[in-house]
């Protein structure tokens, strides 16, 4: 015993103090009195801290190997108290010993010791050190805590306890290193590839359970500490909230790898939840980094199944919805460009599947693929629309131009979208998809002037698809126009084509037409009228087309109409009525009656809007007569199922039609300038018909009427045939003389307009207009009320087709010839 006492006395004091804190029976716990002595000694002689730590580590290692858990607990408690009490430069070596002991506990196979080591590390992580550490690394702890997050212990309680310890350990590493500039290595990919998936794994596991048992109740503070999913989500939020510009991508990319590896894009509820956490956790100015990463991942997975791509796009939608409220950065056009590219790819895949499958079993698979591709397309359109609707007006205008520049139009190469692999069916599909996207972007757009909403660079390409032989495309163009024109939210009040008894009940909102809007109509009014006129005469129109055309006329009246525009719109309506009567386009009876119903609904609307009593009386009288004698000329009847249609329109009484002279008389009495009403409306001739695969207006307005004496048809042919000689052919081929004649004609016209008095020019134009009006009236009189006795033949030429000669009846002007 004396020797032992002598040996004990020769031992260093710090060892004796450390030995004294351990009782003979570990169940008694730490000897507090001796622990106070050890703490006082460490504070008084901080240079001994490293030796104290080394000795404690030596004892702890020995106890771990011998499975003396009681002494291990006492050693860790002593280390924790020393850490909390000592804050000096000399604590650095002590920390190394402390971390070495924590590593020993984490490496042990006993769950209790692993949890004990984690708790000690978390306490250490909460200590703010005075000076940074230049050499300390936490690679081992990142790996070990990440492995604990994936614990697969057979006992559920033990498994949950270890996973919670792993998550808390990761949280401790993050807190200890993320604010230390010298510990930037935590953001390196090799560490993020372990930390982020470990957190997502725990979030995912609990969400799978929650999805089976229904929505969980709101957790308390204690539940958050005991719930791995809640703890992991909080840790992920804390990690992302500390991310900076340079390391944001390293923190986000492991999320994509985890979702890909576990196939969590379809269904994508967990993916959406993850990115909501990400978007709400990061700093607002870094939102565009996440969006760029989603776009990049969408490009990388472009050959995956449609449902996977749709899942990624829906995640993008959620991210955009959150980012649109803050900073989007320079990714606006990139988002739309990528989405439109994938829209084209989806349409291309859909068209390829339709063309490549032939057998019935394959067709069944194709139909499911087609429906999946439509899910992708709808997701893209929804994302484009939501993103566009949240942009400021100046950016939305750029996006509208950007999308419109992608819409392919047959016969042109102005669009920037590659459609070489789509074919006609795929091209039509991409046209519809792009116009639907444009419709979503323009929804809710309110411009102060119509010039801002419809500049010429946007209006011209927008109207081109309105002449295509596809009723759905024409509907989308009109709906886009309505979004941009309707600046006072009147469109909902005009929904559905009908005869409105009292327009005042609709409470239409309107303002005085500004100078910019008036200038717009002077410049572009004829273009709008032309597209409405031709749109009404399309052979594949359905009820919705007529409803949208009626709404277009009504919105122009509300938003853009002064007295001059009102006269032009009435001329347009009368021209549509005349076209339905004459039927140069060989429209079906339903379409002819549909045009008549459209004209009735619009004239009823405009007559009440301008509030001219005589005009309203004439319109009401015609509508009343139609209700009694020809209800198929009214929208409430013609667009009803199983409506009885007439066999022809030639025998109808003129009281069923709106008459120009009655309208002119009524408007003239109220101060309107009605001279132009006497000039029939004729649409402008442009190249748009050829570009949009539509028969040209030139083929329908060329009418030639010849009155010839009674003779044989063969005599007519001989008398009208010019002798073909060498001189005649030479004149036809020699174009130089014709060019000289054309130049001379142009010179004379210019000279006349420069030198002739204005009254003379006006009188000449008026005489020509009256001449054409009288001849058209004669043609209409022939068509509607034919006299009984024939005296000649009528030849009508339309384009390159010549109709069979028919008897012509006695007329007031026997020498009539109209070109």
């Amino acid at each position: 015993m004396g020797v032992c006492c002598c040996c004990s006395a020769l031992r260093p004091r710090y060892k004796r103090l450390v030995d004294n804190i351990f009782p003979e029976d570990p169940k008694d716990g730490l000897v507090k009195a001796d622990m106070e002595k050890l703490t006082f000694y460490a504070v008084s002689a901080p240079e001994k801290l490293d030796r104290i730590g080394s000795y404690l580590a030596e004892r702890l290692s020995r106890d771990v190997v011998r499975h003396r858990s009681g002494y291990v607990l006492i050693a860790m408690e002593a280390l924790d108290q020393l850490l909390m009490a000592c804050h000096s430069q000399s604590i650095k070596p002590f920390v190394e010993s402390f971390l070495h002991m924590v590593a020993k506990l984490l490496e042990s196979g006993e769950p209790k010791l692993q949890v004990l080591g984690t708790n000690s590390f978390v306490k250490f992580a909460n200590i703010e050190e005075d000076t940074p550490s230049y050499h300390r690394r936490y690679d081992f702890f990142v790996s070990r805590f990440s492995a604990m997050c994936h614990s697969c212990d057979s006992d559920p309680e033990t498994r949950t306890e270890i996973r919670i310890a792993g998550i808390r350990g990761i949280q401790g590493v993050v807190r200890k290193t993320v604010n230390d500039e010298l510990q930037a290595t935590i953001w390196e990919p090799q560490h993020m590839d372990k930390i982020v998936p470990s957190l997502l794994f725990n979030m995912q596991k609990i969400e799978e359970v929650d999805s089976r048992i229904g929505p969980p109740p709101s957790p308390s503070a204690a539940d958050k500490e005991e719930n791995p999913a809640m703890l992991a989500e909080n840790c992920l939020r804390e990690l992302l909230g500390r991310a900076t510009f340079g390391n944001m991508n390293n923190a986000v990319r492991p999320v994509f790898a985890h979702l890909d590896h576990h196939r969590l894009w379809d269904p994508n509820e967990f993916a959406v939840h993850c990115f909501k956490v990400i978007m709400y956790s990061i700093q607002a100015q870094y939102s565009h980094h996440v969006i760029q990463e989603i776009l990049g991942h969408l490009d990388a997975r472009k050959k995956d199944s449609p449902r996977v791509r749709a899942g990624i796009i829906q995640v993008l939608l959620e991210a955009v919805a959150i980012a649109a409220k803050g900073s989007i950065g320079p990714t606006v056009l990139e988002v739309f460009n990528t989405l439109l590219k994938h829209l084209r790819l989806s349409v291309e895949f859909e068209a390829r599947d339709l063309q490549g499958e032939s057998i019935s079993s394959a067709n069944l698979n194709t139909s499911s693929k087609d429906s999946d591709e439509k899910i992708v397309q709808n997701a893209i359109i929804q994302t484009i629309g939501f993103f566009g609707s949240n942009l400021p007006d100046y950016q939305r205008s750029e996006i509208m131009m950007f999308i419109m520049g992608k819409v392919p139009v047959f016969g042109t190469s102005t669009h920037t979208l590659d459609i070489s692999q789509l074919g006609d069916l795929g091209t039509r599909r991409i046209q519809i998809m792009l116009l639907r996207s444009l419709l979503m972007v323009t929804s809710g757009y309110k411009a102060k002037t119509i010039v801002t909403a419809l500049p010429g660079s946007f209006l011209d390409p927008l109207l081109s698809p309105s002449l295509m032989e596809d009723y759905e495309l024409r509907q989308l163009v009109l709906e886009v126009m309505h979004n941009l024109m309707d600046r006072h939210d009147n469109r909902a009040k005009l929904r559905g084509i009908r005869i409105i008894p009292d327009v005042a009940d609709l409470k239409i909102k309107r303002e005085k037409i500004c100078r910019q809007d008036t200038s717009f109509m002077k410049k572009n009014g004829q273009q709008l009228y032309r597209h409405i006129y031709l749109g009404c005469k399309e052979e594949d129109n359905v009820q919705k087309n007529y409803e949208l055309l009626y709404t277009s006329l009504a919105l122009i009246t509300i938003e853009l109409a002064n007295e001059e525009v009102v006269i032009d719109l009435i001329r347009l309506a009368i021209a549509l009525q005349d076209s339905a009567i004459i039927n140069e386009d060989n429209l079906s009876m339903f379409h002819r009656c549909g045009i008549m119903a459209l004209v009735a609904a619009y004239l009823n609307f405009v007559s009440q809007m301008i509030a001219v009593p005589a005009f309203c009386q004439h319109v009401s009288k015609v509508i009343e007569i139609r209700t009694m004698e020809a209800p198929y000329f009214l929208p409430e009847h013609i667009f009803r199922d199983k409506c009885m249609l007439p066999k022809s329109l030639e025998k109808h009484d003129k009281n069923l039609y709106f008459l120009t002279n009655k309208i002119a008389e009524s408007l003239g009495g109220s101060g309107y300038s009605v001279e132009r009403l006497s000039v029939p409306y004729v649409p402008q001739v442009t190249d748009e018909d050829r570009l949009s695969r539509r028969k040209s207006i030139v083929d329908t307005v060329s009418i030639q009427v010849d009155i010839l004496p009674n003779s044989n048809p063969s005599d007519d042919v001989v008398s009208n045939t010019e002798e073909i000689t060498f001189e005649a052919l030479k004149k036809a081929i020699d174009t130089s003389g014709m060019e000289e004649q054309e130049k001379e004609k142009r010179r004379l016209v210019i000279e006349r307009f420069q030198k002739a008095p204005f009254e003379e020019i006006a009188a000449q134009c008026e005489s020509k207009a009256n001449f054409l009006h009288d001849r058209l009236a004669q043609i209409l009189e022939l068509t509607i009320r034919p006299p009984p006795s024939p005296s000649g033949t009528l030849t009508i030429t339309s384009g390159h087709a010549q109709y069979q000669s028919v008897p012509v009846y006695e007329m007031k002007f026997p020498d009539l010839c109209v070109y």
Side-chain angles (χ1 to χ4, degrees), residues 494-546:
L494 302 169
R495 187 166 297 157
I497 181 172
R498 64 194 188 280
I499 302 297
I500 303 173
D502 189 358
V503 175
D505 293 340
L506 300 180
K507 297 180 180 180
I508 300 293
K509 299 178 183 178
R510 62 184 308 190
E511 297 177 358
K512 185 178 179 181
I513 308 302
C514 64
R515 182 168 53 86
Q516 292 90 337
D517 292 348
T518 302
S519 175
F520 173 84
M521 287 305 295
K522 287 183 178 179
K523 182 178 180 181
N524 302 293
Q526 292 300 322
Q527 188 179 11
L528 295 175
Y529 305 151
R530 174 178 183 271
H531 283 266
I532 294 175
Y533 179 82
L534 297 178
C536 290
K537 297 170 66 175
E538 291 291 349
E539 299 174 351
D540 60 341
N541 278 341
V542 295
Q543 178 180 351
K544 185 177 180 181
N545 289 86
Y546 291 114

Side-chain angles (χ1 to χ4, degrees), residues 53-68:
S54 300
Y55 185 61
L56 275 172
E58 180 183 344
R59 288 201 55 151
L60 183 138
S61 301
R62 185 171 61 247
D63 293 334
V64 168
V65 172
R66 296 175 180 178
H67 301 286
R68 296 177 178 178

Side-chain angles (χ1 to χ4, degrees), residues 31 34 76-77 125 191 196 317 357 366 378 417 541 543 813:
V31 179
D34 291 324
M76 292 307 301
E77 185 179 356
H191 299 316
V196 175
L317 171 62
E357 299 293 342
T366 302
N378 291 332
L417 199 66
N541 278 341
Q543 178 180 351
F813 301 95

Side-chain angles (χ1 to χ4, degrees), residues 260-552:
D260 290 342
H261 179 71
H262 293 275
R263 300 178 180 178
L264 297 174
W265 295 112
D266 178 32
N268 68 338
E269 288 79 6
F270 179 72
V272 170
H273 174 69
C274 287
F275 277 91
K276 281 185 176 180
V277 171
I278 293 172
M279 296 302 294
Y280 281 118
S281 300
I282 63 176
Q283 301 178 44
Q285 64 267 30
Y286 303 145
S287 297
H288 62 278
H289 279 283
V290 180
I291 294 176
Q292 283 178 326
E293 289 296 322
I294 300 176
L295 293 173
H297 194 69
L298 181 60
D299 287 336
R301 304 300 298 270
K302 63 182 178 182
K303 294 185 179 180
D304 281 21
S305 67
R307 290 188 175 274
V308 170
R309 287 182 279 128
I312 299 174
I313 293 168
Q314 288 170 359
V315 167
L316 177 64
L317 171 62
E318 296 295 337
V320 163
I322 299 170
K325 301 173 184 177
S327 171
I328 303 178
T331 60
V332 176
L333 284 180
E334 183 181 353
V335 171
F336 285 96
N337 192 35
T338 302
L339 289 175
L340 293 178
K341 179 178 68 175
H342 284 277
L343 183 62
R344 178 188 61 80
L345 287 174
S346 178
V347 173
E348 183 178 332
F349 293 153
E350 183 181 15
R352 187 181 304 168
D353 291 337
L354 287 174
Q355 296 173 359
E357 299 293 342
S358 57
I359 59 176
S360 58
S361 60
N363 286 336
L364 293 176
N365 296 331
T366 302
S367 62
S368 64
K369 288 182 180 179
D370 294 343
S371 62
D372 290 344
E373 289 296 345
K374 286 180 173 60
I375 293 175
V376 176
Q377 295 161 14
N378 291 332
I380 293 175
I381 291 172
Q382 188 179 6
T383 304
I384 289 175
F386 191 90
F387 196 8
S389 62
N390 282 278
L391 292 175
D393 287 345
Y394 72 93
Q395 279 187 323
R396 203 190 300 198
S397 300
E398 294 178 359
I399 297 304
M400 288 159 49
M401 291 291 299
F402 183 74
I403 297 176
M404 198 64 242
K406 300 283 186 178
V407 179
V409 178
F410 292 110
T412 68
S413 58
T414 56
H415 56 85
T416 59
L417 199 66
D418 182 16
I419 58 171
S420 58
Q421 304 296 325
L422 296 181
D424 289 350
L425 183 63
T427 301
R428 176 190 176 275
R429 183 71 178 166
I430 197 66
Q431 289 171 332
I432 292 175
M433 293 294 104
L434 290 173
L435 288 175
R436 284 181 58 191
S437 303
L438 186 62
L439 180 63
M440 295 284 288
V441 173
T442 56
S443 178
Y445 181 71
K446 294 291 186 296
K448 293 183 179 179
T449 63
I450 196 65
V451 180
T452 305
L454 288 170
S457 57
F458 179 74
L459 180 63
D460 294 339
L462 175 63
L463 290 178
S464 294
S466 70
L467 298 179
M468 292 182 179
E469 293 181 339
D470 190 308
Y471 71 93
E472 190 174 357
L473 285 174
R474 298 197 300 273
Q475 290 175 4
L476 291 170
V477 171
L478 291 173
E479 289 175 334
V480 172
M481 292 277 293
H482 297 169
N483 281 346
L484 299 173
M485 281 187 182
D486 185 21
R487 292 171 289 176
H488 298 90
D489 299 322
N490 293 311
R491 183 172 43 168
K493 305 171 186 177
L494 302 169
R495 187 166 297 157
I497 181 172
R498 64 194 188 280
I499 302 297
I500 303 173
D502 189 358
V503 175
D505 293 340
L506 300 180
K507 297 180 180 180
I508 300 293
K509 299 178 183 178
R510 62 184 308 190
E511 297 177 358
K512 185 178 179 181
I513 308 302
C514 64
R515 182 168 53 86
Q516 292 90 337
D517 292 348
T518 302
S519 175
F520 173 84
M521 287 305 295
K522 287 183 178 179
K523 182 178 180 181
N524 302 293
Q526 292 300 322
Q527 188 179 11
L528 295 175
Y529 305 151
R530 174 178 183 271
H531 283 266
I532 294 175
Y533 179 82
L534 297 178
C536 290
K537 297 170 66 175
E538 291 291 349
E539 299 174 351
D540 60 341
N541 278 341
V542 295
Q543 178 180 351
K544 185 177 180 181
N545 289 86
Y546 291 114
E547 291 177 351
L548 294 172
L549 289 164
Y550 162 75
T551 305
S552 299

